[in-house]
Amino acid sequence: MPIEQTLVLIKPDGFKRGLTGLVMDRLDAAGLELVAAKMVRVTEKLAREHYRELSDKPFFPNLIRYIRGEFHDLKQNQVLALVYQGDNAIARTRQAAGATNPEQADPRSIRGSFGRVTTQGQFENVLHASGNLADAEREVQLWFKPEEILTPIYTAAAANGKKK
Ligand code: IDP
Ligand code: MG
């Protein structure tokens, strides 16, 4: 099994509802190793770049507002950004997170336990977790400089090769 790194963001609902420690406990319990962590002010540019593959979706404008904390009164637009490492870390983190729609997620998963769909139809699902290796490589390098990660494994060449 290859060693992978994956990006986790504690989204504004998770942060505001005091779920940061719980998410980190669950990922610890899953045997994942924390190799980077920082609070980040999410600019419009960073949000759009992070979610660029979803820019055509009808929920995109509200997704950008959501990740920037505009629905949760986060004046600094802050999220906690984390990088977890381990064998098969990407799939294992997704497993702990649960399905995108919290109403369809395994009730024991983080999203299934603590996420919600708002009356406006927004999925508030506590955390972001990279979906696959290509996303993980791009996202870890979008949010972190190599020197901010204890043991960086993704190279700049991989990220540049994936730029449009
Ligand atoms: P993921 O976060 O599980 O990888 P993506 O499809 O990459 O799911 O979507 C990114 C985020 O956009 C989701 O976590 C969720 O917050 C939001 N989202 C995705 N699909 C919908 C939808 O159909 N309605 C509302 N929000 C959505
Ligand atoms: Mg995704």
Side-chain angles (χ1 to χ4, degrees):
M1 223 23 115
I3 294 278
E4 294 172 343
Q5 290 180 352
T6 192
L7 180 77
V8 170
L9 304 174
I10 308 297
K11 290 181 170 182
D13 55 319
F15 185 72
K16 200 72 188 212
R17 293 162 80 191
L19 297 170
T20 301
L22 179 136
V23 171
M24 295 180 76
D25 278 348
R26 292 277 182 103
L27 297 177
D28 268 352
L32 293 153
E33 183 186 352
L34 184 61
V35 295
K38 64 177 175 180
M39 296 302 301
V40 180
R41 288 193 187 88
V42 184
T43 61
E44 178 94 17
K45 183 168 180 270
L46 176 58
R48 288 175 168 277
E49 180 65 20
H50 176 72
Y51 282 127
R52 70 181 191 188
E53 275 152 34
L54 300 173
S55 60
D56 297 340
K57 303 284 185 194
F59 58 82
F60 184 74
N62 277 342
L63 176 58
I64 299 306
R65 297 180 67 199
Y66 166 44
I67 198 67
R68 298 193 69 223
E70 291 183 23
F71 297 133
H72 294 86
D73 200 33
L74 292 186
K75 302 277 192 285
Q76 305 280 350
N77 307 116
Q78 70 269 45
V79 301
L80 176 61
L82 306 163
V83 178
Y84 281 90
Q85 174 173 302
D87 289 336
N88 210 15
I90 298 164
R92 285 165 60 211
T93 303
R94 294 285 294 192
Q95 180 85 31
T100 303
N101 180 341
E103 289 183 353
Q104 290 170 2
D106 183 318
R108 289 156 300 184
S109 68
I110 299 166
R111 287 168 164 180
S113 300
F114 303 105
R116 67 169 192 151
V117 180
T118 68
T119 48
Q120 287 77 31
Q122 185 67 34
F123 296 177
E124 292 188 353
N125 54 11
V126 186
L127 76 160
H128 170 81
S130 303
N132 54 55
L133 183 59
D135 284 356
E137 288 191 26
R138 186 178 79 84
E139 292 170 2
V140 167
Q141 293 179 92
L142 176 63
W143 289 80
F144 287 91
K145 299 175 190 148
E147 61 268 27
E148 294 173 327
I149 303 171
L150 292 177
T151 52
I153 62 171
Y154 301 137
T155 65
N160 292 337
K162 288 181 180 74
K163 287 239 164 75
K164 273 186 194 154

